[in-house]
Structures are given as C-alpha cells and as structure tokens.
Amino acid sequence: GPLTLTDLTTVALSTLNAKSRIEAEREVVQDPLFESFIHAAGEKGFFTEKKLSGKDALSPEEEDLRQRLLYENKYRKVVAKFRSKLAVREEQLMLHNNGVGGGGMNVG
C-alpha cells in the first residue's frame, strides 16, 4: 500500500541515524548541564508569573491551570534554547576539530 508520513519519517530517521524532536528533548532534559540551565532560568525569575487579580481574577483551579500552562510553555522555550545552544556548540567543535577557522592549535 501507499506509504504514510510516519513510515517515511521512520525510514528517514533510521537512514540518517537521527533522532525525532521528542527523543532529542528526552535526552536533553536528562543532561546535567540542562539541569543547571533550567535552574538558572528559574533563579532569574523566568518562570515567575503574577496571578491575575481584580476583574481578571480566576478561581483557584483556573489559576492553577493557567500557571501550569504558562510554566509548560516557558519550559518548552528553555528546552528549545538549550538545544539551540548545544547545536551551536557542536557546530563550533566540528569546525574546530576539522581545522576550520583558526590555526588548529587553539585550546579552550
């Protein structure tokens, strides 16, 4: 029968020895560096959200849901930012290891 998008994606990932976004993110969140990265974001107040008040106030249940959704959205942004930083670092290491961009004897 005809191939589905899932079939094609599975074959492509396997052929390229690549990972899906979900698999890559699962690995990222287990990385000790990620723990430090997310902790630093929290320390800087990135996840802090003010509760709605006055005429916009929500019930405690609604506010909990709102806070959880906002946190999850920001958490995904932190994961994406961390993955982006890792990709840039990997690219720089590959360029450095291949002798591109400098004399090849650079340390650090």
Side-chain angles (χ1 to χ4, degrees):
L3 293 174
T4 66
L5 184 56
T6 303
D7 295 333
L8 293 172
T9 303
T10 302
V11 169
L13 289 171
S14 175
T15 303
L16 297 171
N17 197 22
K19 296 178 188 124
S20 70
R21 181 181 60 84
I22 292 170
E23 288 174 311
E25 286 181 3
R26 279 189 190 127
E27 285 183 15
V28 163
V29 298
Q30 294 174 358
D31 186 325
L33 289 174
F34 177 73
E35 287 183 32
S36 297
F37 192 76
I38 198 125
H39 180 75
E43 290 286 312
K44 293 178 182 175
F46 182 72
F47 293 107
T48 304
E49 287 290 334
K50 291 182 181 176
K51 289 185 177 185
L52 296 177
S53 59
K55 64 180 177 67
D56 295 327
L58 301 172
S59 72
E61 295 82 15
E62 290 171 325
E63 184 62 41
D64 286 346
L65 177 60
R66 177 181 168 271
Q67 291 289 329
R68 192 167 57 247
L69 291 173
L70 289 169
Y71 178 87
E72 288 172 5
N73 184 39
K74 288 185 174 191
Y75 185 87
R76 282 192 297 274
K77 287 180 182 180
V78 171
V79 169
K81 181 73 170 181
F82 185 77
R83 286 184 64 215
S84 170
K85 285 182 173 282
L86 281 182
V88 168
R89 194 174 90 200
E90 270 185 37
E91 188 175 307
Q92 289 171 343
L93 284 172
M94 284 177 33
L95 289 174
H96 178 76
N97 290 339
N98 290 332
V100 176
M105 294 297 290
N106 297 339
V107 177

